[in-house]
Amino acid sequence: MNAYLFTAGLTQSQVRPSPGRGGQMVDSLRIWDSCMSAIIYGGDPEQAQKRFEAWCRRTPEGENPVETELKKVGAAQFIDQLLTESGGNPLDWPRISRQVNDTLQTTAVDDFEQGYWVDINQAVPPGKTSFDVESLKRDLPEDIRSGLNWSPDKKFFFLVSVLSPRPSPATPADESESDAPDRDDADDENEDDDEKTDLDEAVAALPEMRDKDAATLVEARNSVVAVWLWRKFAANTRLAPNEIQIGPCCSFIPVE
């Protein structure tokens, strides 16, 4: 079953009551930018994106519903296996979705021991080839090692995003070249692009908004082990040198 990690940068607006002159409440339009992510499983890429966009635009019933405009949508297909300390397993997305949701509802989770605070690209850089979990643990600085869960009986699901390489800075074109575009036309095109992706700078700069080459789900005792498992899996692939981002699972949504 195919699955995809989608992230959207979006602008939302809603008419809300706010204090006016004399303390009276008046209706005013509020506009804000944000990003949303979800795991869509089942169907083909086009069906999955339509399902994600519909999910982003969902609005609760009410007199003044939230209006949502999608400014940028990015997607990455999941690697077709669950990475674990005992090897790769087939991905049963409905079962994993239920398992993650049940865990969130019934178990008090200590985010600190999972290790989302660790700079994983520095702690486990590409090429990290520790023989096993114990040697990986010994190689870590004490201030990192002591804060993580190392119990093999306690495992968590981690979402690993494989980030696309950052684009090289644009080289200024030689304006004397005969095929250089007219400056006014180029400016008009840039303005059109800006209108399509005009997100708040803080939202546009979020790591979640980076383009991604792939995504994978990992079950491990902490984020460092999860990243090490990914490094081992990707060692002989084109994705080996890519920066990665790690986080908890987001919403699971079936196409149908």
Side-chain angles (χ1 to χ4, degrees), residues 29-89:
L29 181 65
R30 300 292 182 88
I31 301 174
W32 66 96
D33 287 350
S34 61
C35 76
M36 300 176 70
S37 297
I39 296 168
I40 311 294
Y41 59 89
D44 59 32
E46 183 177 356
Q47 292 172 323
Q49 181 161 339
K50 287 181 178 178
R51 181 69 180 90
F52 173 69
E53 292 181 0
W55 177 77
C56 288
R57 292 191 175 101
R58 71 199 189 285
T59 57
E61 295 182 1
E63 186 174 338
N64 297 314
V66 174
E67 298 290 336
T68 299
E69 179 183 1
L70 301 180
K71 293 293 186 65
K72 179 181 179 181
V73 177
Q77 185 166 355
F78 272 86
I79 304 298
D80 62 356
Q81 58 182 292
L82 172 67
L83 304 185
T84 73
E85 295 180 31
S86 59
N89 294 327

Side-chain angles (χ1 to χ4, degrees), residues 20-205:
R21 292 183 179 180
Q24 295 181 339
M25 301 299 290
V26 296
D27 288 341
S28 61
L29 181 65
R30 300 292 182 88
I31 301 174
W32 66 96
D33 287 350
S34 61
C35 76
M36 300 176 70
S37 297
I39 296 168
I40 311 294
Y41 59 89
D44 59 32
E46 183 177 356
Q47 292 172 323
Q49 181 161 339
K50 287 181 178 178
R51 181 69 180 90
F52 173 69
E53 292 181 0
W55 177 77
C56 288
R57 292 191 175 101
R58 71 199 189 285
T59 57
E61 295 182 1
E63 186 174 338
N64 297 314
V66 174
E67 298 290 336
T68 299
E69 179 183 1
L70 301 180
K71 293 293 186 65
K72 179 181 179 181
V73 177
Q77 185 166 355
F78 272 86
I79 304 298
D80 62 356
Q81 58 182 292
L82 172 67
L83 304 185
T84 73
E85 295 180 31
S86 59
N89 294 327
L91 275 164
D92 182 339
W93 287 105
R95 180 188 63 79
I96 291 174
S97 175
R98 292 191 298 269
Q99 185 176 345
V100 171
N101 290 332
D102 290 347
T103 300
L104 291 175
Q105 293 175 8
T106 60
T107 306
V109 176
D110 182 353
D111 288 342
F112 192 81
E113 68 176 358
Q114 293 182 54
Y116 296 122
W117 49 273
V118 178
D119 183 343
I120 44 86
N121 287 292
Q122 180 176 350
V124 192
K128 184 74 173 182
T129 56
S130 299
F131 179 71
D132 55 19
V133 172
E134 287 304 315
S135 59
L136 176 69
K137 179 180 178 181
R138 287 195 300 270
D139 289 343
L140 291 172
E142 172 61 26
D143 59 339
I144 295 178
R145 181 172 64 243
S146 61
L148 299 173
N149 166 65
W150 293 100
S151 170
D153 298 325
K154 184 188 291 188
K155 303 285 180 60
F156 308 98
F157 286 104
F158 294 91
L159 175 60
V160 175
S161 300
V162 185
L163 305 180
S164 303
R166 295 182 185 274
S168 301
T171 302
D174 185 350
E175 295 184 3
S176 64
E177 294 180 3
S178 59
D179 59 348
D182 180 81
R183 180 176 297 278
D184 291 338
D185 292 343
D187 289 344
D188 290 342
E189 291 176 3
N190 290 338
E191 288 174 3
D192 291 341
D193 291 342
D194 290 343
E195 289 176 1
K196 294 176 184 176
T197 59
D198 186 18
L199 283 169
D200 181 270
E201 290 183 3
V203 173

